[in-house]
Amino acid sequence: MSGVIPGTRAPGDTATRTAAGTSDAGTALQVLRRLDTGPRGLTEDEAALRLARFGGNTLPAREDASWPRLLLRGLRDPFTAVLLCLAVVSAAVFAWSTACVILVLVVISTVLRASGERRADRSMAHLRGLVATTSTVLRRAAGDAAPEPREIPVEDLVPGDIVQLGAGDLVPADVRLLRARGLTVHQSALTGESAPVAKHAADVAGPAPAAVFEQSQLCFQGSSVAAGSGTAVVVETGGRARLAAAYDRTVGRREASAFDRSVHGISWILIRFMLLTPPLVLMANAALRDRGLETLPFAVAVAVGLTPEMLPVVVTICLARGASLLARSHGVIVKRLPALHDLGAVDVLCLDKTGTLTQDRPVVERGLDAVGDADPEVVRWAAVNAWWTLQLAELPEPDALDEAVLDEVDEDGLMAYDGVAALPFDPVRRLSTAVVRTPGRLGSHTLVVKGAVEAVLERCALEPEEERRLTDLADRAARDGLRVLAVATAERPARLRDYTPADERGLDFRGFVTLRDALAPTAAPALAALAAHGVTVKILTGDHPGTAARACRDLGVPLRADAVVTADRTDSLTDTELAELARRTTLFARCTPEHKARISAALRNGGHTVGFLGDGVNDVSALWAADVGIAPRGATDVAREAADVVLAEKDLTAIGHAISAGRHSGGNIATYLRITLSSNVGNVIAMLAAGLLLPFLPMLPAQVLVQNLCFDTVQLAFAYDRPHPALLRRPAALDPRALLRFITGFGVLNAAADLATFVVLGLALHGAGPAEDEAVFHSGWFTENLITQSLVMLLLRTGRRLFEDRPPGPVGWTAAALAVIGLALPSSPIGPLLGLTTLPLEYYLLLTVVLALYAAGLVLARKHHERNLLGGDNPSEA
């Protein structure tokens, strides 16, 4: 046989696929003919030819980023670009030390970020290797040989292979069923449906359903067999499978995340300041002091002084430490370091119900008799049906509903019945029947029938009105979010001949068994913890609204009447209208993948930082639409690839830990920015004022750079700080406008302390001559600068009060070290090299008064800021 297979397509030719596919459309015989195969399977030679032509049954290769690519990615953020520009300008004015320091900081931060993301890539590669990779296939050694079932690697499957499916198997490719027995398939990874979907091999009569996943004769890669067995022909593999289409959506450039937007906004604030400052310094000195280009190094030093050079390093260390702690303690992998900050800023978390709030398995709620009263006897009859159907039909394992029923009764009680025969469930009859000998009833058999309400009721001896009443009773239970099974029995004379579906007539109705989704044991406390941390949960599910609402109520999630919406209502809404609807809606039911993505995007565009937890192919677009995509380790490959964060388990508790770690890191970053920028802005204002008032430069360029180096070095302590627990109760978002207001207000206060120091230096201190006066001024301001900055580090820490730490902690120790440097450096041997000199004792007495007033001003200003921020709440939470 040649390697050309009639009716098939070359790899990558997915654009021409119709809604129902090509090779999988039509009767089973037509599909086999198009694929040039048969029920006996392919020969080894035929399979080898097809494998060479179509390639392996694998998703498109996803290569991990190389070191050079990771390093370039780390250089792309706008603030790093600002630092590189400053390094170039510093080199242009021969400030080589400044240029070297900046370049070293950029290299350190870039390498740290690249190494963190490299570790995440290695962890993801390990997860990919945990997926099962074999399938049972019929192959022949030669054309006339008998077919033999054998286990082969999934990647060796080709179109035309005949595969066998059993309970618990993953569907290895897109297949068309040839035979099926009680086959149900979990398609939740593809469609979001929590309940297994019945599949059968019957040929489709008439036009196929518009939705390809609704075609019962087709199974798709990415789904798994819940119960039953089947034989199928492989119609699509690798990049031509429908799973690959979703995988392709994970390739590309996603929109800027919350962290990216915040850093971009802050960077532009700094860029404006830095572009404005040097020209102002040059023009003011030229106009008022007749100093020209000789002040250019000083102007560059002022611009550098405004820049938080350690920001990339502090940010990277904060995020890398948080990501490393999450991986070690909770098995959470952060693939993209900025995603950890986004987690801390999340105020809306979107998730599916199945597997997150519930365990993807039903449990019995109760049994109901014909009038709707509780009746445990109905559950017992349902368990008799489940037990003897399982035993006599030789099913490999009970389906989820039968297992739930069996869990409710004592197994010893079921053994009192003697099984005679069983008619297993099939998708056409929608019921199953067990025939048993009831104790004490010699000469008779009892038929126990269990299944769909409509199927059982139409086989019962009921008046039409009674049948309608029972149907309404079942409908009310279904609207309340319960699954409903009907149970009926019938007494028949004992016989030897086989029982058939024709015997399922004239039944006596026994009652209903209602079932609900089993709740995840950690869901309720995790939801309460998320709410306490200011995270609003939105549930986007493909399930029936009643089923989803029932799970929410059982978990204590408050649902108003307008808080439950069927997703198709959003189709006619504009983006603005959808954003408003999403803000007040808790539960969206019957969601398609497009609905999930659009709702996530609407919440994001409405000003929220959105996290999305998903594990299926149908969640990929929503994972990309959110600020941070989250997937469990057991998710489909495409979902894990699309996610920014991978959890050890699909557990909301793990998300709570990840959010806390993100807020810890984000809080430290925000504290660093507030303290550093407010101090820098104050220093720049003071330098500009002093440059205009003094006949000499207020500080030499070397002194500015040493001061910045000291301050920047101790700022690393913020990466190791322990934020106040109150900080973890609010999203840790970086708001550029709020930051601008903060640094402006506290920067002016810092400048006021500097100007007061100028007054002290101008009135109380005089050197032996102009040169000595200049050295005294430089030394006095240098000392005051470092001490005020150490005070700022202690007094403006988020959620902290002075001396609260016992022991002081890294920030307390480094602030003390900074003050010691400020006091000791002018009189040390290094001081004269920098143009500094020893200060008289009276200066320190006057400086103490200035610092005391400054500290009091900081405390009062901080309390005012916290009252405005929190509206009078506990100030320690700011």
Side-chain angles (χ1 to χ4, degrees):
M1 181 179 293
S2 69
V4 178
I5 306 171
T8 58
R9 300 186 297 277
D13 184 18
T14 58
T16 59
R17 172 180 289 146
T18 63
T22 54
S23 299
D24 47 13
T27 66
L29 181 59
Q30 290 171 335
V31 171
L32 289 172
R33 285 177 175 172
R34 275 197 295 268
L35 292 169
D36 199 7
T37 188
R40 300 171 68 230
L42 302 173
T43 67
E44 293 292 351
D45 290 341
E46 291 168 348
L49 286 172
R50 298 189 185 200
L51 185 63
R53 175 175 175 78
F54 293 101
N57 180 32
T58 58
L59 293 173
R62 177 67 59 84
E63 295 183 1
D64 292 335
S66 63
W67 267 106
R69 186 176 176 184
L70 288 171
L71 292 172
L72 288 175
R73 187 188 301 169
L75 292 172
R76 278 198 314 226
D77 72 85
F79 195 78
T80 300
V82 171
L83 290 179
L84 291 175
C85 290
L86 281 176
V88 171
V89 173
S90 299
V93 297
F94 305 106
W96 300 111
S97 58
T98 304
C100 290
V101 168
I102 293 175
L103 289 175
V104 167
L105 294 176
V106 169
V107 169
I108 291 173
S109 65
T110 303
V111 170
L112 286 173
R113 178 176 295 184
S115 61
E117 296 187 1
R118 184 73 169 181
R119 284 195 299 271
D121 284 344
R122 289 200 298 267
S123 299
M124 287 298 299
H126 175 68
L127 290 180
R128 295 186 199 108
L130 299 178
V131 180
T133 56
T134 62
S135 179
T136 303
V137 62
L138 293 180
R139 288 276 178 89
R140 294 174 289 152
D144 57 351
E148 297 180 1
R150 64 189 66 183
E151 291 285 327
I152 68 169
V154 166
E155 56 264 27
D156 291 344
L157 285 176
V158 295
D161 264 328
I162 305 299
V163 296
Q164 296 178 343
L165 302 173
D169 288 346
L170 295 175
V171 178
D174 288 359
V175 301
R176 204 281 186 196
L177 291 171
L178 303 177
R179 291 183 297 277
R181 183 180 183 185
L183 184 66
T184 57
V185 174
H186 281 295
Q187 293 188 159
S188 58
L190 298 164
T191 64
E193 297 173 281
S194 61
V197 178
K199 298 287 185 177
H200 53 84
D203 292 332
V204 178
V212 67
F213 295 115
E214 295 178 4
Q215 298 187 33
S216 59
Q217 80 279 15
L218 303 178
C219 298
F220 303 95
Q221 186 179 25
S223 56
S224 61
V225 178
S229 60
T231 302
V233 59
V234 174
V235 294
E236 299 288 9
T237 60
R240 300 172 302 282
R242 284 167 178 81
L243 186 65
Y247 189 86
D248 290 341
R249 290 199 295 271
T250 69
V251 181
R253 186 181 181 87
R254 70 188 303 162
E255 294 183 18
S257 67
F259 180 80
D260 297 329
R261 296 193 301 271
S262 298
V263 170
H264 189 269
I266 293 168
S267 298
W268 274 109
I269 291 174
L270 295 176
I271 288 170
R272 293 187 184 99
F273 272 116
M274 287 184 290
L275 290 177
L276 185 63
T277 300
L280 283 177
V281 172
L282 291 173
M283 289 187 295
N285 279 275
L288 300 179
R289 293 297 176 184
D290 198 25
R291 291 192 290 259
L293 291 178
E294 66 270 17
T295 61
L296 182 58
F298 175 73
V300 173
V302 171
V304 172
L306 180 65
T307 308
E309 296 95 337
M310 295 300 291
L311 178 60
V313 179
V314 170
V315 167
T316 304
I317 292 177
C318 283
L319 298 179
R321 288 188 72 245
S324 178
L325 181 62
L326 275 177
R328 291 197 310 270
S329 303
H330 305 290
V332 177
I333 299 171
V334 180
K335 295 169 53 182
R336 186 177 58 87
L337 283 183
L340 184 60
H341 171 271
D342 293 338
L343 270 173
V346 162
D347 61 340
V348 173
L349 176 65
C350 298
L351 49 86
D352 196 355
K353 171 186 69 69
T354 307
T356 306
L357 305 181
T358 62
Q359 297 184 48
D360 201 13
R361 66 177 181 87
V363 293
V364 172
E365 175 77 4
R366 58 179 176 169
L368 300 174
D369 61 17
V371 297
D373 294 334
D375 185 359
E377 189 72 5
V378 179
V379 179
R380 183 180 64 82
W381 280 116
V384 170
N385 170 283
W387 175 260
W388 287 109
T389 301
L390 177 66
Q391 301 301 318
L392 298 176
E394 298 181 353
L395 299 178
E397 61 182 25
D399 68 14
L401 297 179
D402 283 350
E403 191 171 7
V405 170
L406 291 172
D407 286 343
E408 287 296 305
V409 299
D410 183 5
E411 186 176 311
D412 293 337
L414 301 178
M415 302 305 295
Y417 297 87
D418 187 11
V420 176
L423 300 174
F425 178 89
D426 71 61
V428 178
R429 291 165 46 244
R430 296 189 299 155
L431 49 79
S432 63
T433 298
V435 183
V436 299
R437 294 188 186 95
T438 304
R441 295 184 183 177
L442 297 178
S444 67
H445 290 166
T446 303
L447 276 71
V448 185
V449 180
K450 170 177 62 65
V453 172
E454 299 84 353
V456 173
L457 289 181
E458 70 183 14
R459 290 167 170 81
C460 292
L462 297 171
E463 296 294 329
E465 290 186 3
E466 178 68 4
E467 184 175 342
R468 284 194 296 270
R469 187 186 66 79
L470 292 173
T471 301
D472 290 341
L473 180 61
D475 288 343
R476 286 198 298 272
R479 287 193 297 270
D480 196 34
L482 299 173
R483 300 181 192 178
V484 184
L485 295 174
V487 180
T489 62
E491 296 295 324
R492 298 285 191 267
R495 72 190 195 197
L496 295 178
R497 70 177 186 274
D498 291 340
Y499 285 88
T500 68
D503 294 303
E504 299 167 338
R505 293 288 184 272
L507 306 176
D508 298 323
F509 180 73
R510 287 286 183 174
F512 298 116
V513 177
T514 59
L515 303 100
R516 57 176 173 80
D517 288 335
L519 303 178
T522 60
L527 288 173
L530 288 171
H533 284 73
V535 178
T536 302
V537 172
K538 306 286 185 181
I539 301 165
L540 315 181
T541 179
D543 270 354
H544 186 280
T547 303
R550 177 62 184 244
C552 291
R553 289 196 298 272
D554 290 344
L555 289 168
V557 178
L559 289 177
R560 305 185 313 274
D562 61 345
V564 180
V565 170
T566 304
D568 56 12
R569 277 184 51 193
T570 67
D571 294 338
S572 60
L573 299 180
T574 66
D575 291 342
T576 303
E577 292 170 337
L578 179 58
E580 175 58 27
L581 177 66
R583 183 189 60 79
R584 64 175 188 270
T585 301
T586 301
L587 169 61
F588 287 91
R590 299 296 193 194
C591 286
T592 65
E594 292 74 20
H595 287 135
K596 292 182 179 182
R598 190 172 175 227
I599 292 167
S600 297
L603 287 165
R604 188 178 179 185
N605 294 334
H608 297 283
T609 302
V610 180
F612 186 92
L613 172 64
D615 62 353
V617 177
N618 60 314
D619 295 323
V620 168
S621 54
L623 288 168
W624 275 76
D627 286 290
V628 53
I630 310 166
R633 184 177 62 185
T636 59
D637 287 347
V638 289
R640 288 204 307 264
E641 293 291 349
D644 302 302
V645 177
V646 179
L647 309 176
E649 302 293 340
K650 193 174 182 180
D651 186 355
L652 287 180
T653 303
I655 296 181
H657 292 310
I659 288 176
S660 294
R663 292 185 178 180
H664 187 134
S665 299
N668 284 344
I669 293 169
T671 300
Y672 163 78
L673 280 172
R674 282 195 291 265
I675 290 175
T676 301
L677 291 179
S678 60
S679 296
N680 289 358
V681 167
N683 286 339
V684 167
I685 294 173
M687 284 183 181
L688 291 174
L692 299 178
L693 298 174
L694 299 175
F696 51 82
L697 291 178
M699 194 174 288
L700 299 178
Q703 295 166 354
V704 174
L705 295 177
V706 169
Q707 174 185 274
N708 289 340
L709 181 62
C710 293
F711 194 33
D712 289 338
T713 301
V714 300
Q715 297 295 320
L716 282 174
F718 285 112
Y720 301 89
D721 195 19
R722 299 186 304 275
H724 195 279
L727 184 68
L728 305 181
R729 294 200 290 266
R730 295 181 295 111
L734 283 174
D735 183 354
R737 293 183 179 179
L739 180 64
L740 179 60
R741 291 193 297 270
F742 185 96
I743 65 177
T744 302
F746 284 90
V748 169
L749 183 60
N750 183 279
D754 288 340
L755 293 174
T757 303
F758 295 168
V759 173
V760 168
L761 290 168
L763 297 179
L765 300 176
H766 298 283
E772 184 66 19
D773 285 344
E774 186 174 341
V776 168
F777 186 93
H778 291 163
S779 302
W781 193 26
F782 183 90
T783 297
E784 184 265 348
N785 255 337
L786 294 188
I787 296 177
T788 54
Q789 287 173 340
S790 67
L791 283 175
V792 168
M793 289 178 64
L794 291 174
L795 294 175
L796 292 189
R797 290 169 66 199
T798 303
R800 293 288 185 182
R801 295 189 179 90
L802 189 60
F803 309 127
E804 182 180 2
D805 282 341
R806 296 289 189 266
V811 172
W813 288 117
T814 54
L818 185 65
V820 169
I821 292 172
L823 291 170
L825 190 61
S827 57
S828 71
I830 302 176
L833 299 177
L834 298 174
L836 301 176
T837 187
T838 303
L839 293 164
L841 178 62
E842 57 266 27
Y843 168 73
Y844 295 106
L845 297 176
L846 293 171
L847 179 62
T848 302
V849 176
V850 172
L851 294 176
L853 294 174
Y854 177 58
L858 277 178
V859 172
L860 293 175
R862 174 180 158 175
K863 289 183 177 180
H864 176 73
H865 169 75
E866 290 168 346
R867 282 196 299 269
N868 291 339
L869 182 65
L870 299 174
D873 292 346
N874 186 354
S876 67
E877 297 182 7

